[in-house]
Amino acid sequence: MHALDTGARLSAVRFLPVLNPSTTPLRRRYFIVRANLPFPKHQAKYHKELEAAIDAVDRACGLCVDVKRSIFSSKEKILEKNDQSPVTIADFGVQALVSLELSKLFPSIPLVAEEDSLFLRENNLVSSVVSEVIAKASIGDNQLSDADVLEAIDRGGKDAYTFCNKPATYWVLDPIDGTRGFLKGDDALYVVGLALVVDNEIVLGVMGCPNWPGDDSDGSTGTLMLSHIGCGTWTKSLQVSGDWTRRFVDACGLVNKARFCIQESQTWESLPLSGFFNAKIDSDDLHRNEILLLPTCCGSLCKYLMVASGRASVFLLRARTQRTIKSWDHAVGIICVHEAGGKVTDWEGDEISLEEDQSERRLIFPAGGVVVSNGSLHHQILEMISSTSPTL
């Protein structure tokens, strides 16, 4: 990456009003910066890692777009894992691509990610994944072998690294959060999410959403969101040069005026707040005992992205005994919401810990579930949950 021109960056700052007040009436003012990064390097301790993460996620989103164009003409590219969740060559391709890009610059930092190559080998899809990775990789392009790509995937697999009970530095990757959305069509959102954890603290995160509806009048879609500890949350259009826009959570302070999103596999009636409010998907003529429930999008990271960008006020997730909660579904979202001014805790109000899974750092164990909010509403939401869940 090119060195940043700090003087040019600072001179490009200008304050602007909200671009789309009809959809985000409570979003705060933000400012725009034109640069490779939206802040000077000396303000960001992990700027080298952040630049690498931005490049890797941007490349990965390009791979997703290319695979999606052809995916419905080749059914062999869509598979189902043992838990009946869908997986595509894009999932494996993204993991291999990001792993290769990061290991080039930071070979000593381990990767915690969703996939491993065994499933790929068993379904004879290695060559398909390799060709997609070669098309987007910056290293060794035509030099990459099948073994290189498989090794890159397994670098993030379950048995790749043992952390033991001690602080650690590692990447957390969700290759495609919302694979069901990836398979649905152009309007269903999905996210490539990457975070860096240092001594059990999430210090940076990058999310790419190739079909995020754009804010600009030119009709462009796709967004890249980044966060760095102490430097805020920013977005720009995906895979094009352009301005970085600082993002903030919305300023809603009344629960019944908030915009909620929930997991697509859960119903409003299964959540504690249903005892206080009914949910409607139409914002017209809401009564005091009704809240607006935004249309569901697949995966958790899309909801974090919505809260961090001010398009939603609250994301609620209930933990279920029969299903584990994975670190990669939340890590990057947590820092993006925090740096946008929001808050993320479990249902008891404790911060989400990434170190409880001491040896692998693949699972998290939030008591009751996860509350993601604009911060202003957080205490009220927790009190409502507590009043209906005395055993938590």
Side-chain angles (χ1 to χ4, degrees), residues 54-188:
I54 292 170
D55 182 64
V57 170
D58 190 66
R59 291 175 184 275
C61 288
L63 185 151
C64 290
V65 171
D66 289 349
V67 171
K68 190 167 184 176
R69 285 196 189 105
S70 62
I71 201 165
F72 295 108
S73 62
S74 179
K75 293 182 180 179
E76 68 176 8
K77 295 181 179 180
I78 307 173
L79 298 152
E80 196 172 78
K81 293 189 280 191
N82 292 335
D83 62 359
Q84 282 71 59
S85 61
V87 65
T88 72
I89 64 169
D91 295 81
F92 296 104
V94 166
Q95 185 158 320
L97 179 60
V98 172
S99 176
L100 286 165
E101 297 298 323
L102 296 179
S103 63
K104 171 183 66 173
L105 297 174
F106 309 102
S108 65
I109 302 180
L111 175 68
V112 174
E114 185 169 8
E115 311 298 348
D116 62 57
S117 70
L118 178 61
F119 187 84
L120 197 64
R121 300 170 197 261
E122 291 176 344
N123 288 274
N124 299 317
L125 285 174
V126 175
S127 60
S128 297
V129 172
V130 171
S131 63
E132 297 293 344
V133 173
I134 288 174
K136 297 298 179 184
S138 68
I139 54 173
D141 295 353
N142 296 319
Q143 307 273 326
L144 289 174
S145 66
D146 290 4
D148 293 330
V149 172
L150 292 171
E151 181 181 349
I153 294 171
D154 287 334
R155 179 170 170 258
K158 190 175 188 302
D159 301 318
Y161 192 87
T162 301
F163 289 91
C164 303
N165 185 18
K166 59 184 179 181
T169 296
Y170 57 97
W171 298 100
V172 182
L173 170 69
D174 195 337
I176 298 182
D177 185 66
T179 301
R180 294 186 190 278
F182 178 78
L183 296 172
K184 279 184 177 179
D186 291 339
D187 295 332

